[in-house]
Amino acid sequence: MDHQPFFAALQRIYPKERLLTKGVQLLAYESDALTSFQTKPSAVVIPESQDEVIETVRLCHQFGVPYVARGSGTSLSGGSLPIENGIVIALNRLNRIKKLDPEQRIAVVEPGVVNLQISQAADRYNLYYAPDPSSQSVCTIGGNVAFNSGGAHCLKYGMTSNHILGLKVVLADGEVVEFGSESLEGVGVGPDLIGLFVGSEGLFGVALEITVRLLPKPELYRTVLAAYNDLETAGNAVAMVVASGLLPGAMEIMDRLSIKAAESAVDAGYPENAAALLIVELEGESEQVETEFEEIMDVIKESGSYEIRVAKDAEQRLRIWKGRKGAFSSVGRLSPDYVVQDGVVPRSHLGKALAEIDRLSQEYGLDVANVFHAGDGNLHPLILFNGREEGALEHAEELAGKILKMCVELGGSITGEHGVGMEKRNYMPAMFSEVDLETMKTIRRQVDPKEISNPGKMFPGGEAPALKMTGMHPLEAKGIISRE
Amino acid sequence: MSLQPTTLEELQSIVKDNQGLLPIGGGTKPALSTAFNGATRLDMSRLSGIIEYEPGEYTFTAYAGTPVRTIVAALAEHGQYLPFDPPLIEQGATLGGVIAANTAGSGRYRYGGVRDFIIGVRFVDGQGQLVRGGGKVVKNAAGFDLPKFMVGSAGRFGAFVDVSFKVFPEPRAYVTLKAVFASLGPALEAIYSLFTAPNEMDVLDLESLDDGRFGLLMRLGGLSTALPGRVERLQAFLNTKTEVLSNEVIQAEADAALWQQVNGFSWVPDGSHFAKVPISPKRIPLLENVLLSLNPSRRYTAGGNVAWLAVSDIEQLDMLLNKLNLPGLVLFGPPGRPFIGPRPGVSLARRVKQALDPSGKFLEI
Ligand SMILES: Cc1cc2nc3c(=O)[nH]c(=O)nc-3n(C[C@H](O)[C@H](O)[C@H](O)COP(=O)(O)OP(=O)(O)OC[C@H]3O[C@@H](n4cnc5c(N)ncnc54)[C@H](O)[C@@H]3O)c2cc1C
């Protein structure tokens, strides 16, 4: 198609330093953190105001040009992968915190604000923004909204969607709508449009302004580290904690390979020779936490752990978390390449799922490291391979697919927090019927009749760019962010 | 006319063969559940019962027509609960009704409302198709989050067949602290300071008392050994950081009875019109000002984030809400117009309506 009039219109909005069209300029936008997919966009625009975004989306609609909104490009599922012959709307400069009201515990922010910056701004009021993806020092709230991102501390207070109160969005056909409010009740009346938009993976339009709720910082943390001789016993310990009726803020497991990697990378001081580590963290008001702590210690002592450690101060706590949060990039150092999956299983099936992953790992002759959100059954198997070997990536992807199918068979999901994106779209039929998927597509077409907003993602079918293997996300290689 | 499907297949053929359908659960919210203008009652109460409850998973799946009472009883056997305190349980509210109306009681303060606990839904859409959204696990990011979308959907997008929820362990003990303030101002100031305090509360309700005074009700849940210390600490906080006039500790049966009353809406005067209005605490003074002439029975839950207003005339309230730009949902009152005040985002809702119910089998949104 002839893009000339479209580009001429873009040029009227953007000065040339904010309208990138040259090969080298586009290079940084060719992929997200799932680097095996790459596509060169026709152009990248860098808006500085909401109006510029709105005008851009309207032009895309008018000329039928596909676009993908992009925050920091840390999506692990190809969500922010560009569309061929389409443009990228890079939102990093829409990064104002427009309002922070400690009395009502809310903040109103633009989509390019980095997740951690909200907590930093709220810190002096003793408040924080709860969802904590491991990428929180770089990923944007806009990306979090699109993917309903989670983190280690989403067990008690939920994922991104549970913390969004209001949204202003430009829909794919250019209509601007606002819903929700500054009330903790959010939408409150009529269908929950926030629920619909959060997690829609950029298929409805672009979020322009986001009202988030803040929480008071927990007064006290109690962090327990327990070592086990096998993974299954650690998995059962999770079930025991859950059954005890206590509600920890985080419950995480690492297996032998990831422990070893974390040790060599960050010297976390983990017990040696452990086949599995369980991290349980209680958080909240001190009297309550202290009492819960006594109970949880009784449970963990009964759980077959051979060594239990309790963080004595903030520094020891941070050290435990440093090993955990950096585990995947540490594992990455053990192997030239890896893919990470994000399936969910019912918590009582954790042991079974891990055993099956182990079996598949042997069958495929590929090492798999496990570091995961045990408290909510969200696995993160990390499949190691060498991309320079012919067919190795495809082999690893095949194993990843088997793991996803197993998660669905056990009654779970193909993704807990990384989203479907480009990567897992062909597994959607394992979870949803044709009618389910067709219904979702119909909703999408009502909002985006020309299917220009991040097309080719979430739903099965369509052309996929050829797989390439290029290793770690550049930020990850530098150790700025780590996968969880 | 009233139709009462007893199986999924019956429900599907009813939807295919009829128009103007209004799905109805327990009928406890008459403004939402009374058929009017020739609409057809779609009585969902026969699609009832728990399908799957795995206490170790902290999740359950049940038919949407299941009375919440049944769910609450099953959960209680394992020390579990729905933290958002679904109201009108005694009166017979069903799961489907709670979702469609988006009603949550005082307990929604701490962990969130209906939307924060629903994880899956299967519904029959306007074409008679069975559609599923979400799943049965506590964490799931696959596909559009239709379960959340259905919260507050008022039966306009389809009829729920079954739904899945996550649940939490119930606190083993509760205590309520009731604090009295001379007027609204100091009561709101107290809410603001409590918002950033370390003290954790399951409930923070604001109620209007006689003589312009306001009360704050703070319910603390947790391990019984920790509660006395936490209450003392909260009292000390109120005494030093707020202008509290007096406070009273309410325990055991009295505590349970109090919250049963509040969440059962038994404080709402007979015959009044009754609406829910999401609000932010800072706008309460504005609302209070315009309400002055009506002097309705009222209550603010979730730390002043939801107003529950019992008025004699919903039309008047509609006008006031439009002036204040606050949306409202009518629970008790004349049928036919559950949504009052402004309707932010309704154009997006209409697009989804067009997708799920293109020929308008269910009522207009
Ligand atoms: C090392 C590492 C660790 C990670 N850890 C976690 C983790 O712990 N938990 C977790 O959930 N995820 C994690 N992720 C995944 C990723 O960080 C999240 O998905 C994050 O939300 C993406 O944010 P982003 O700003 O990079 O978005 P991008 O990758 O730029 O975009 C992601 C998606 O959001 C859309 N989008 C972006 N902005 C907008 C907007 N304003 N409006 C509409 N759509 C928009 C894009 O089109 C795309 O589909 C990790 C990633 C890495 C690389």
Side-chain angles (χ1 to χ4, degrees):
Chain A
M1 109 177 247
D2 177 18
H3 275 21
Q4 220 28 60
F6 172 70
F7 277 108
L10 282 185
Q11 276 163 352
R12 282 193 286 277
I13 307 178
Y14 298 98
K16 64 173 184 304
E17 63 279 10
R18 296 198 284 120
L19 172 59
L20 316 180
T21 50
K22 302 213 171 62
V24 277
Q25 292 175 313
L26 302 178
L27 210 61
Y29 297 90
E30 275 181 7
S31 68
D32 56 21
L34 182 67
T35 46
S36 43
F37 289 107
Q38 294 165 5
T39 304
K40 202 187 278 299
S42 302
V44 175
V45 297
I46 308 177
E48 288 181 344
S49 70
Q50 295 183 13
D51 284 340
E52 289 181 347
V53 180
I54 296 167
E55 273 185 76
T56 307
V57 170
R58 286 181 180 161
L59 284 177
C60 287
H61 178 68
Q62 185 188 339
F63 290 95
V65 177
Y67 65 84
V68 54
R70 184 178 170 110
S72 295
T74 64
S75 160
L76 288 168
S77 56
S80 39
L81 178 77
I83 319 297
E84 207 169 334
N85 290 319
I87 66 164
V88 172
I89 305 177
L91 294 162
N92 301 80
R93 292 202 193 168
L94 252 71
N95 61 355
R96 280 156 287 232
I97 297 182
K98 298 187 67 175
K99 177 171 177 179
L100 202 159
D101 180 350
E103 293 186 327
Q104 302 196 100
R105 286 202 305 222
I106 54 154
V108 181
V109 303
E110 290 185 328
V113 170
V114 166
N115 172 303
L116 191 61
Q117 281 169 354
I118 304 178
S119 293
Q120 283 166 347
D123 187 68
R124 63 192 170 115
Y125 305 111
N126 200 36
L127 297 170
Y128 77 119
Y129 175 68
D132 64 336
S134 297
S135 50
Q136 73 178 148
S137 61
V138 280
C139 69
T140 64
I141 193 77
N144 294 174
V145 164
F147 271 169
N148 191 16
S149 301
H153 290 84
C154 287
L155 206 50
K156 205 166 174 174
Y157 297 109
M159 317 270 290
T160 299
S161 196
N162 306 101
H163 299 265
I164 304 298
L165 305 177
L167 282 173
K168 175 181 176 189
V169 307
V170 52
L171 299 177
D173 62 1
E175 185 187 343
V176 175
V177 283
E178 286 184 60
F179 39 86
S181 59
E182 294 191 349
S183 166
L184 185 61
E185 185 72 355
V187 170
V189 172
D192 185 8
L193 299 170
I194 292 178
L196 179 70
F197 193 90
V198 177
S200 61
E201 302 199 2
L203 270 61
F204 290 149
V206 184
L208 300 169
E209 206 169 286
I210 300 148
T211 305
V212 302
R213 83 169 159 137
L214 305 170
L215 291 179
K217 291 205 301 200
E219 183 179 26
L220 183 71
Y221 289 105
R222 278 286 182 201
T223 314
V224 184
L225 183 74
Y228 296 85
N229 282 322
D230 62 89
L231 204 48
E232 199 179 337
T233 316
N236 293 339
V238 172
M240 288 171 71
V241 172
V242 171
S244 73
L246 297 167
L247 198 60
M251 215 168 356
E252 304 280 313
I253 287 183
M254 298 169 70
D255 73 356
R256 190 188 296 280
L257 197 52
S258 44
I259 299 166
K260 188 174 134 207
E263 263 318 307
S264 63
V266 300
D267 183 27
Y270 290 151
E272 273 169 43
N273 301 323
L277 283 180
L278 170 67
I279 303 171
V280 181
E281 184 163 276
L282 298 166
E283 57 173 52
E285 190 179 351
S286 53
E287 284 91 341
Q288 171 76 9
V289 170
E290 290 294 14
T291 321
E292 283 178 352
F293 174 63
E294 281 171 32
E295 286 206 11
I296 217 145
M297 285 303 278
D298 290 342
V299 175
I300 292 176
K301 279 177 195 153
E302 292 288 303
S303 71
S305 167
Y306 70 85
E307 186 173 342
I308 302 171
R309 294 185 191 168
V310 179
K312 291 197 184 64
D313 50 31
E315 196 186 320
Q316 288 191 359
R317 168 176 181 258
L318 285 182
R319 196 156 165 226
I320 291 176
W321 278 112
K322 195 170 168 200
R324 163 65 188 88
K325 293 222 167 189
F328 271 18
S329 49
S330 316
V331 174
R333 292 199 188 114
L334 298 183
S335 160
D337 300 293
Y338 59 94
V339 287
V340 56
Q341 281 307 331
D342 160 55
V344 183
V345 295
R347 294 173 270 207
S348 53
H349 291 328
L350 269 177
K352 209 192 229 170
L354 292 166
E356 178 63 10
I357 291 175
D358 191 41
R359 196 193 63 73
L360 285 167
S361 154
Q362 285 172 28
E363 182 188 320
Y364 276 75
L366 294 172
D367 281 337
V368 178
N370 288 289
V371 181
F372 55 99
H373 307 307
D376 42 29
N378 190 186
L379 301 169
H380 283 333
L382 185 76
I383 302 159
L384 311 185
F385 67 99
N386 184 350
R388 265 164 300 197
E389 285 168 17
E390 175 91 16
L393 172 60
E394 288 74 11
H395 193 55
E397 290 280 351
E398 192 184 309
L399 167 54
K402 290 233 165 126
I403 294 176
L404 292 186
K405 289 212 166 118
M406 168 201 72
C407 290
V408 176
E409 274 158 25
L410 289 174
S413 170
I414 56 174
T415 172
E417 55 183 23
H418 296 170
V420 178
M422 176 63 77
E423 186 203 23
K424 291 185 276 288
R425 54 186 189 154
N426 288 330
Y427 298 101
M428 283 290 273
M431 260 188 94
F432 295 105
S433 74
E434 223 167 280
V435 171
D436 301 338
L437 291 172
E438 209 37 64
T439 302
M440 289 185 208
K441 281 194 210 167
T442 312
I443 295 175
R444 188 268 174 77
R445 281 192 294 268
Q446 280 296 330
V447 181
D448 177 10
K450 294 188 176 172
E451 299 188 63
I452 52 167
S453 197
N454 209 8
K457 316 289 173 68
M458 190 189 285
F459 299 117
E463 293 276 293
L467 291 181
K468 289 185 207 159
M469 200 55 239
T470 55
M472 274 193 227
H473 190 269
L475 291 171
E476 204 174 0
K478 283 191 215 137
I480 297 172
I481 50 176
S482 52
R483 282 182 227 194
E484 201 176 320
Chain B
M1 189 165 58
S2 181
L3 299 165
Q4 192 184 51
T6 56
T7 63
L8 168 62
E9 293 69 28
E10 271 178 42
L11 172 60
Q12 288 180 295
S13 60
I14 287 175
V15 172
K16 284 185 182 138
D17 299 341
N18 291 276
Q19 287 282 333
L21 292 166
L22 179 63
I24 288 161
T28 60
K29 300 169 267 282
L32 284 161
S33 53
T34 308
F36 59 99
N37 265 354
T40 302
R41 283 171 55 94
L42 181 54
D43 177 351
M44 301 295 294
S45 60
R46 297 284 294 278
L47 285 170
S48 170
I50 296 175
I51 298 167
E52 214 178 299
Y53 169 39
E54 188 69 58
E57 284 301 327
Y58 283 73
T59 55
F60 72 84
T61 300
Y63 287 107
T66 312
V68 180
R69 185 194 306 126
T70 309
I71 305 287
V72 168
L75 295 177
E77 275 180 41
H78 299 275
Q80 303 181 5
Y81 79 135
L82 291 164
F84 55 86
D85 271 353
L88 299 167
I89 297 181
E90 298 305 316
Q91 291 82 343
T94 61
L95 268 184
V98 164
I99 298 164
N102 185 10
T103 41
S106 297
R108 89 97 45 244
Y109 175 62
R110 176 118 188 239
Y111 296 113
V114 185
R115 70 181 302 274
D116 300 297
F117 287 88
I118 188 169
I119 55 177
V121 65
R122 291 200 310 159
F123 62 96
V124 171
D125 73 2
Q127 297 169 81
Q129 307 183 106
L130 179 67
V131 181
R132 187 164 74 83
K136 292 181 177 175
V137 276
V138 296
K139 196 170 180 183
N140 176 13
F144 299 146
D145 200 341
L146 294 179
K148 279 200 185 67
F149 173 81
M150 286 299 177
V151 174
S153 58
R156 265 57 177 174
F157 298 84
F160 309 146
V161 178
D162 53 53
V163 291
S164 302
F165 275 85
K166 67 172 183 176
V167 300
F168 272 178
E170 169 140 49
R172 288 179 217 160
Y174 289 106
V175 181
T176 298
L177 192 65
K178 178 174 175 165
V180 178
F181 296 83
S183 65
L184 178 63
L188 283 174
E189 287 300 325
I191 288 184
Y192 300 146
S193 37
L194 284 167
F195 270 179
T196 48
N199 310 66
E200 288 178 340
M201 282 161 270
D202 288 42
V203 170
L204 178 56
D205 269 16
L206 172 72
E207 57 181 21
S208 70
L209 308 171
D210 305 339
D211 313 326
R213 293 172 312 146
F214 274 79
L216 277 190
L217 284 135
M218 293 150 277
R219 192 180 201 205
L220 280 58
L223 299 172
S224 48
T225 43
L227 275 178
R230 290 173 61 201
V231 171
E232 251 173 60
R233 190 172 175 212
L234 186 55
Q235 286 171 316
F237 182 92
L238 291 168
N239 287 332
T240 53
K241 299 274 165 57
T242 75
E243 293 171 37
V244 66
L245 297 179
S246 63
N247 75 69
E248 173 195 354
V249 178
I250 304 166
Q251 307 197 57
E253 291 88 37
D255 168 86
L258 167 71
W259 293 109
Q260 193 171 347
Q261 231 178 36
V262 169
N263 293 323
F265 297 144
S266 58
W267 52 274
V268 175
D270 275 347
S272 49
H273 296 173
F274 183 52
K276 163 190 154 176
V277 178
I279 191 169
S280 52
K282 284 193 175 162
R283 305 195 64 198
I284 291 178
L286 273 171
L287 179 65
E288 283 286 317
N289 250 336
V290 303
L291 288 177
L292 221 53
S293 57
L294 305 178
N295 192 29
S297 294
R298 60 200 184 276
R299 177 171 208 96
Y300 298 93
T301 55
N305 282 281
V306 185
W308 300 91
L309 308 170
V311 295
S312 56
D313 179 14
I314 211 73
E315 299 297 328
Q316 212 173 357
L317 183 63
D318 182 29
M319 253 168 47
L320 294 178
L321 292 182
N322 271 311
K323 252 187 233 156
L324 293 175
N325 196 24
L326 289 171
L329 178 79
V330 188
L331 303 184
F332 307 161
R337 44 174 326 207
F339 303 114
I340 53 173
R343 314 262 326 258
V346 73
S347 72
L348 176 54
R350 291 209 172 101
R351 294 181 191 223
V352 183
K353 170 81 175 172
Q354 195 56 36
L356 296 182
D357 184 21
S359 54
K361 295 286 184 163
F362 297 93
L363 301 186
E364 270 309 298
I365 173 74

